[in-house]
Amino acid sequence: MQSFRCPQGRRAHAGCPRQASRSLRLSVRAAGSTYGNNFRVTTFGESHGKGVGCVIDGVPPRLPISEDEIQLELDRRKPGQSIITTPRKEDDIAEILSGVVDGVTLGTPIAIVVRNKDQKSQDYSEMSVAYRPSHADATYDFKYGIRAVAGGGRSSARETIGRVAAGAVAKKLLKVIGDTEILAFVSKVRDIECDVDMASFTLEDVESNIVRCPDQAAAQKMIDAINEVRTRGESCGGEVTCVVRRCPKGLGSPVFDKLEAELAKAMLSLPATKGFEIGSGFRGAAMLGSEHNDEFYLDEQGRVRTRTNRSGGVQGGLSNGEDIVIRVAFKPTSTIGIKQKTVTRDGQETELRARGRHDPCVVPRAVPMVESMVALVLADQLLQHYAQCELLPREGTVGADPSVLRQFARV
């Protein structure tokens, strides 16, 4: 039996009738390492520890998934891919420890681990006493009083391996249920923008160059810009755009758990993110209502559609079946090869030239990370939608989603 001290100093026992009016029941969830309610993902591991990975709980049973499918996504985010990414060499081989038998999920927790191999912890000896500007070194010390110095520990982008592995499972679930496709690409590096047809670009288009931009002319300019800052020991930022095609209708919740709010939280939880937009984003603030509203119509199949998509696929906090379009801004990589002023852990001002192997621009490798976090949000919302809204028959609605209803043999 758990007990606690009440403010007056008397000892109360949870569940004791005599103290029931004074008892306080406390619940502490995982401290920032778990996302989701029904499709729950917990990531673990430090950048230079023995390994990193995730535990996924709530995955429906009988979903086909293989290590090869997970590996395909991890290969897209692993380091050492090209001259414009970090030179750290890791195979990032995924190993499924539980929850899958003969390529099919059991409905029990899925544990996936990736072993670290190419650590160079000696590169971070100076950082044990001096805080790197714009890194998490100082704030981790402020909060915990201790930190994993090498590689930044949990603040490293290496933590996202668990997200990408879990995202592969979420993508598969969404594909099976609604033929949902989630594709992201680099849409901006510094001030270089691109021209991409959101309705037709493919994964092959994205992966056709090392910067992951389907616009080949813009891609070369982006590569040149990253190389220019890299050779000067500098870094730069950019933007990633993500499109969700054939998203089931009705995902999300009113008020606090709006779908765009969940997406914003997921995107801004990624390392180096500084901004989020959906649909018209900040540009919509300059429009009139008549310019911004998405008018409804019935298509050839009698489905409710919108003629425009300034809402970005979400209205009233719920998905409307149109493409979800979001943009995420990433800051310049904090680690640069230029001497900067800083402060030591014992409060002395000093100068530091950071060492270590880092991306001069994070956006090319952020593409699969963005896709994975979008998939985790939608998979979690899909399970919640089933639980609340699809157990009882629908009567007289015009917008029921066939991709969902067919799972209950009603269409």
Side-chain angles (χ1 to χ4, degrees):
M1 180 182 294
Q2 292 185 339
S3 62
F4 65 95
R5 292 284 182 184
C6 67
Q8 290 75 26
R10 293 186 294 272
R11 192 169 188 83
H13 296 275
C16 175
R18 188 169 60 87
Q19 297 286 354
S21 62
R22 299 173 184 166
S23 65
L24 175 65
R25 194 174 294 275
L26 301 177
S27 177
V28 180
R29 297 178 66 176
S33 293
T34 299
Y35 178 79
N37 293 302
N38 296 69
F39 194 103
R40 292 176 59 82
V41 177
T42 300
T43 68
F44 63 83
E46 289 79 39
S47 176
H48 283 220
K50 292 184 178 180
V52 292
C54 64
V55 177
I56 320 167
D57 204 358
V59 180
R62 302 180 301 280
L63 176 70
I65 192 71
S66 67
E67 286 184 344
D68 288 343
E69 290 173 288
I70 295 170
Q71 194 61 52
L72 178 65
E73 297 296 331
L74 290 178
D75 286 346
R76 296 176 66 209
R77 69 119 275 144
K78 71 180 181 181
Q81 297 179 37
S82 70
I83 193 172
I84 61 172
T85 64
T86 171
R88 179 172 176 172
K89 294 294 184 182
E90 294 280 5
D91 293 330
D92 286 353
I93 302 299
E95 181 182 355
I96 299 176
L97 302 181
S98 66
V100 178
V101 170
D102 296 329
V104 178
T105 60
L106 298 173
T108 54
I110 299 173
I112 302 172
V113 67
V114 169
R115 315 286 179 177
N116 292 332
K117 296 180 179 180
D118 187 22
Q119 307 102 312
K120 291 187 178 180
S121 299
Q122 66 274 14
D123 287 348
Y124 297 87
S125 57
E126 295 167 305
M127 290 64 154
S128 63
V129 294
Y131 298 133
R132 294 170 296 173
S134 285
H135 284 76
D137 302 344
T139 51
Y140 268 51
D141 257 359
F142 297 161
K143 180 174 178 65
Y144 300 109
I146 188 173
R147 58 190 168 90
V149 175
R154 288 289 284 169
S155 68
S156 167
R158 192 147 182 80
E159 175 272 335
T160 63
I161 283 177
R163 305 182 193 219
V164 173
V169 180
K171 279 186 175 182
K172 185 62 177 292
L173 175 64
L174 292 161
K175 185 71 174 177
V176 168
I177 295 298
D179 194 30
T180 303
E181 182 181 39
I182 303 171
L183 285 177
F185 64 93
V186 174
S187 51
K188 189 174 183 179
V189 170
R190 299 196 73 184
D191 60 350
I192 303 166
E193 298 182 348
C194 62
D195 183 14
V196 175
D197 184 350
M198 298 291 189
S200 63
F201 79 92
T202 65
L203 177 62
E204 290 71 25
D205 295 332
V206 174
E207 296 295 326
S208 64
N209 55 71
I210 59 176
V211 80
R212 293 199 166 103
C213 176
D215 181 341
Q216 297 299 328
Q220 188 56 55
K221 294 178 182 177
M222 292 175 180
I223 294 169
D224 293 342
I226 296 173
N227 269 325
E228 191 275 329
V229 298
R230 179 184 64 84
T231 56
R232 291 193 287 115
E234 266 284 8
S235 64
C236 62
E239 296 179 12
V240 172
T241 295
C242 186
V243 179
V244 182
R245 296 169 181 158
R246 297 178 296 280
C247 178
K249 298 174 184 176
L251 302 191
S253 301
V255 194
F256 298 112
D257 296 333
K258 288 182 170 68
L259 184 57
E260 62 261 60
E262 292 298 309
L263 288 168
K265 176 182 178 179
M267 294 305 105
L268 295 177
S269 74
L270 286 168
T273 51
K274 285 298 179 183
F276 171 84
E277 288 188 338
I278 183 166
S280 63
F282 285 94
R283 292 166 297 173
M287 296 180 182
L288 298 173
S290 58
E291 296 172 321
H292 192 273
N293 286 348
D294 296 319
E295 294 184 344
F296 290 109
Y297 75 101
L298 294 176
D299 67 8
E300 295 82 359
Q301 287 76 42
R303 298 174 300 183
V304 178
R305 300 287 306 278
T306 62
R307 296 189 186 280
T308 54
N309 191 26
R310 299 182 188 94
S311 300
V314 179
Q315 294 174 325
L318 310 174
S319 59
N320 64 5
E322 303 297 331
D323 288 354
I324 294 175
V325 182
I326 66 171
R327 289 172 296 280
V328 188
F330 289 82
K331 69 181 179 69
T333 313
S334 297
T335 302
I336 57 177
I338 296 174
K339 188 175 288 187
Q340 300 175 91
K341 296 183 184 300
T342 187
V343 173
T344 64
R345 202 174 188 224
D346 59 1
Q348 301 297 313
E349 292 188 348
T350 186
E351 290 185 333
L352 173 71
R353 178 181 283 112
R355 294 187 294 161
R357 296 161 295 173
H358 302 273
D359 298 86
C361 181
V362 301
V363 288
R365 290 177 61 216
V367 166
M369 302 177 197
V370 168
E371 292 178 0
S372 294
M373 287 308 300
V374 170
L376 294 182
V377 171
L378 297 182
D380 189 42
Q381 294 297 325
L382 182 67
L383 294 181
Q384 292 184 58
H385 179 77
Y386 268 69
Q388 181 185 14
C389 299
E390 300 303 335
L391 294 180
L392 301 175
R394 290 173 176 264
E395 298 292 341
T397 57
V398 296
D401 198 322
S403 65
V404 173
L405 293 181
R406 68 182 174 81
Q407 300 298 314
F408 292 88
R410 297 200 186 108
V411 294

